[in-house]
Amino acid sequence: TGLSAGGSHRLVRSLSSYAYLVVALWMVERENPGERPTMLSGAKEDAWLQAFLAQNPVPFAPQVVGSEPFRMEIRNLMARAGQMGLLPGDLVELGRTLDLPLWELAGRAYGEYAGWQDAFTLDTAHMDAARIPRIAAHQLRSWEREAKGEGVLAKAPLPSVLLMDDVQDMPASTVPLVQALADAGVQVVFTSSVDEAVAGFRGGAPGLGDAVA
């Protein structure tokens, strides 16, 4: 499978890569192996959204709906909502409350894309880098309790020490995953500098260091 049930794993990973390892081990390394989870590429996500917009009523001009920047804006809203732990219905409700039709539309797309209630579970219709850290955090917390009953053979991939650099550029979804690791006994060491934040455009939270601490 390319995964190690014995606990030996690549030492240097991105947050999403580690989260993927957690989820993949849970799904694949078991008595009756499941399929390895698939992470949609940006191009495939864009193609999915293009088809969704073509098949559903949209309160915007056709020339706007058909543009790549419009789809990119919706994809960004879906990703930011996922990173913040918002369910699709939350985004729809925010759009209605704030009178922001684009947010409401993004919430509808997010619901069809991720699942209205399953966005942060293994049953999500599509898995992506925005939400997988929260999904992995849930699996780590339930590993010891549920692994035997689910026939999972792998040990939870817990390092003894977690070293993180540039936390100011990580998304909010970092917090539940790091908290789950810390609660499992992993020592967490990190660096963060608000003045060096450069990734806000993709969900980086400059003040995340305080939350992680």
Side-chain angles (χ1 to χ4, degrees), residues 155-184:
K155 298 178 180 178
L158 299 173
S160 56
V161 180
L162 173 66
L163 300 175
M164 298 191 301
D165 192 17
D166 292 332
V167 167
Q168 75 278 353
D169 289 329
M170 294 183 179
S173 53
T174 300
V175 177
L177 182 52
V178 173
Q179 186 65 61
L181 287 165
D183 290 346

Side-chain angles (χ1 to χ4, degrees), residues 164 166-172 174-176 178-179 188-195 197 204-213:
M164 298 191 301
D166 292 332
V167 167
Q168 75 278 353
D169 289 329
M170 294 183 179
T174 300
V175 177
V178 173
Q179 186 65 61
V188 178
V189 181
F190 69 93
T191 65
S192 181
S193 173
V194 174
D195 295 333
L208 196 67
D210 291 339
V212 171

